[in-house]
Amino acid sequence: MATAAPAAHPAPATHPAPRGTCPFAPPPAYQQAREDTPVTRVTLWDGTPCWLVTRHQEARALLADPRFSADATRPGFPFLSAAARHLGAGKTSFIRMDDPEHHRLRRMLTGDFTIRRTAALRPAVQQAADRLLDAMTADRTGADLVAEFALPLPSLVICLLLGVPYQDHEFFQRCSRTLLRRDSPIEEVVAAQDELTAYLDALTDRKRTEPDDAILSRLVARGELSTEDIGAMGRLLLIAGHETTANMTALSVLALLRHPDQLAHLRAHPEATPAAVEELLRWLSIVQTGVTRVATEDVEIGGVLIRAGEGVVCQINTANRDGRRYPDGDALDLTRDTRQHLAFGFGVHQCLGQPLARLELEIALDTLLRRLPGLRLAVPFEEIRFRHEMTVYGVETLPVTW
């Protein structure tokens, strides 16, 4: 039977909570909440109360439940920063919509990200990875893996798919970084959003007279969407299409270098790279701020009654380490069964681009480990700077040698 929150509830924790001594692990406060009170109250940055869900079973149930809305315009929707609140008030993409509008817009893109369509990209992605590695290793024995490999690889691919000129990558990467920083001043967020929107609107208009075979042109050719709608979809794909995979690539390499037994296993069994990618996705869970929803009616989750209009944050990184689903979940084990991990979300809003992300990660890791058998850190681990202030977790730079 569902129970409302007790009147004398302990003082709520804040969200986001600080990480502990291990930069790969979720905040200890959330790990403890998962064991003690997996559905608990927290206070957001602006003082707003919100529910926090930290256990795998409850998180999976919530993300599959249509009574929890992804619509950022609904009263009570939890915004995790001033930047997120500003962006939620503007023109949003389908990830901030509910069905049927979410389904109508999403299905316009599903054909571009099927497993079959993505598999056909493998030669092009492999060629891009080899070219980047050729340039990175030419006449040198060290480089910043983020700047010279992890970031340009998915940027090249998403530009190819969207029909965005890659020579503009420094511009859209700068805008993306501002929009994904939780502590970006609101005036910088507004400026970055306006710049990126104007850029994509102009590019969309150009596709009307200079079409190609890429996604933006195909959306234009459908004749169903305004320039503003196409721009919102393009902004989502452009940012998500390079930020997540770039950070996962660099952080995965660092995790493997810090776990030499797992690295040795993968070098000895390169055919296990797809399984290794799934474990790294589970273990790292780089969307560190969680997935936000708001209840549209009273719903019981984990024996707790969440009232209509109350916001919820699903803390994916703690759910993915839940020992009830993954025994010894804090350990990185490339041989484990990772089925049902939530790194790409769950339910109707599960990440559209996950086949592409998997392909890019598999190729990136396989190429690096195959071609650079002596790959190692070029600086002490303690000097690595982590992206604590970003929605998408990672490292600022990754100096390596080989």
Side-chain angles (χ1 to χ4, degrees), residues 3 29 37 49 178 187 194 237 248 259 288 306 335 341 392 394:
T3 57
T37 51
T178 299
E187 61 272 14
D194 288 349
L237 295 176
M248 260 303 299
H259 295 78
Q288 63 175 340
I306 298 178
T335 66
H341 75 69
V392 179

Side-chain angles (χ1 to χ4, degrees), residues 53-66:
V53 177
T54 52
R55 194 174 288 175
H56 186 275
Q57 180 178 336
E58 286 79 1
R60 187 176 164 91
L62 187 150
L63 293 173
D65 194 324

Side-chain angles (χ1 to χ4, degrees), residues 35-54:
E35 304 310 311
D36 298 341
T37 51
V39 182
T40 190
R41 293 289 253 176
V42 294
T43 300
L44 301 181
W45 61 279
D46 59 353
T48 302
C50 181
W51 291 102
L52 183 74
V53 177
T54 52

Side-chain angles (χ1 to χ4, degrees), residues 170-180 191-193 195-196 239:
E170 290 185 1
F171 162 73
F172 65 72
Q173 287 167 0
R174 172 178 58 80
C175 291
S176 299
R177 186 175 182 84
T178 299
L179 296 175
L180 291 175
Q193 184 185 33
E195 285 183 71
L196 192 54
I239 295 176

Side-chain angles (χ1 to χ4, degrees), residues 58-390:
E58 286 79 1
R60 187 176 164 91
L62 187 150
L63 293 173
D65 194 324
R67 295 172 295 178
F68 288 98
S69 172
D71 185 351
T73 66
R74 285 184 177 270
F77 189 89
F79 296 108
L80 303 184
S81 67
R85 184 166 61 189
H86 170 77
L87 295 172
K91 183 67 177 179
T92 59
S93 65
F94 56 85
I95 66 166
R96 283 287 170 248
M97 299 176 185
D98 297 328
D99 288 341
E101 187 66 0
H102 161 264
H103 177 70
R104 183 183 77 85
L105 294 174
R106 181 183 170 112
R107 71 181 179 183
M108 295 182 186
L109 297 168
T110 51
D112 293 290
F113 295 98
T114 62
I115 294 175
R116 183 175 180 178
R117 180 72 67 87
T118 300
L121 292 172
R122 181 174 287 275
V125 178
Q126 183 65 64
Q127 185 179 50
D130 284 325
R131 282 201 311 267
L132 288 168
L133 213 52
D134 288 343
M136 190 180 86
T137 57
D139 303 320
R140 286 185 295 165
T141 58
D144 171 16
L145 195 69
V146 173
E148 299 196 48
F149 185 80
L151 183 56
L153 179 59
S155 297
L156 280 162
V157 174
I158 198 62
C159 283
L160 174 67
L161 290 178
L162 284 176
V164 171
Y166 180 70
Q167 60 262 33
D168 298 331
H169 68 278
E170 290 185 1
F171 162 73
F172 65 72
Q173 287 167 0
R174 172 178 58 80
C175 291
S176 299
R177 186 175 182 84
T178 299
L179 296 175
L180 291 175
R181 282 186 68 100
R182 298 198 307 274
D183 59 354
S184 289
I186 195 65
E187 61 272 14
E188 293 183 12
V189 173
V190 172
Q193 184 185 33
D194 288 349
E195 285 183 71
L196 192 54
T197 297
Y199 171 81
L200 287 168
D201 285 353
L203 183 59
T204 298
D205 285 339
R206 192 158 75 241
K207 300 293 186 184
R208 300 185 192 282
T209 56
E210 302 173 20
D212 53 36
D213 294 328
I215 290 174
L216 290 180
S217 278
R218 291 203 296 275
L219 290 175
V220 167
R222 295 180 69 100
E224 301 175 44
L225 300 173
S226 66
T227 296
E228 188 181 24
D229 288 329
I230 295 172
M233 294 170 78
R235 188 168 64 243
L236 166 67
L237 295 176
L238 187 61
I239 295 176
H242 79 272
E243 278 283 348
T244 51
T245 308
N247 284 287
M248 260 303 299
T249 299
L251 205 58
S252 294
V253 170
L254 182 58
L256 290 170
L257 293 176
R258 296 293 288 174
H259 295 78
D261 58 328
Q262 300 300 305
L263 178 58
H265 167 80
L266 189 53
R267 286 192 184 281
H269 302 281
E271 73 281 358
T273 301
V277 164
E278 297 304 316
E279 171 65 352
L280 288 161
L281 286 163
R282 179 201 71 84
W283 195 71
L284 294 170
S285 298
I286 62 170
V287 182
Q288 63 175 340
T289 51
V291 178
T292 47
R293 296 287 187 266
V294 62
T296 60
E297 56 184 271
D298 294 357
V299 189
E300 176 191 350
I301 292 289
V304 174
L305 185 63
I306 298 178
R307 299 285 187 183
E310 292 183 335
V312 186
V313 179
C314 266
Q315 205 60 41
I316 299 301
N317 52 6
T318 54
N320 270 345
R321 291 188 176 212
D322 188 349
R324 297 158 192 80
R325 178 64 186 85
Y326 305 106
D328 196 16
D330 284 328
L332 178 64
D333 178 2
L334 301 187
T335 66
R336 83 162 70 240
D337 178 1
T338 58
R339 283 176 293 182
Q340 297 186 355
H341 75 69
L342 303 174
F344 292 114
F346 187 62
V348 296
H349 283 87
Q350 193 170 23
C351 175
L352 175 71
Q354 58 183 293
L356 178 61
R358 286 183 165 105
L359 176 72
E360 291 173 337
L361 288 166
E362 289 172 17
I363 289 175
L365 292 179
D366 177 74
T367 305
L368 282 168
L369 299 186
R370 174 169 41 83
R371 291 189 52 179
L372 300 177
L375 184 66
R376 60 192 185 277
L377 284 179
V379 298
F381 176 71
E382 292 73 23
E383 294 183 12
I384 301 296
R385 293 182 297 120
F386 290 83
R387 293 163 41 114
H388 293 293
E389 77 288 352
M390 304 296 287

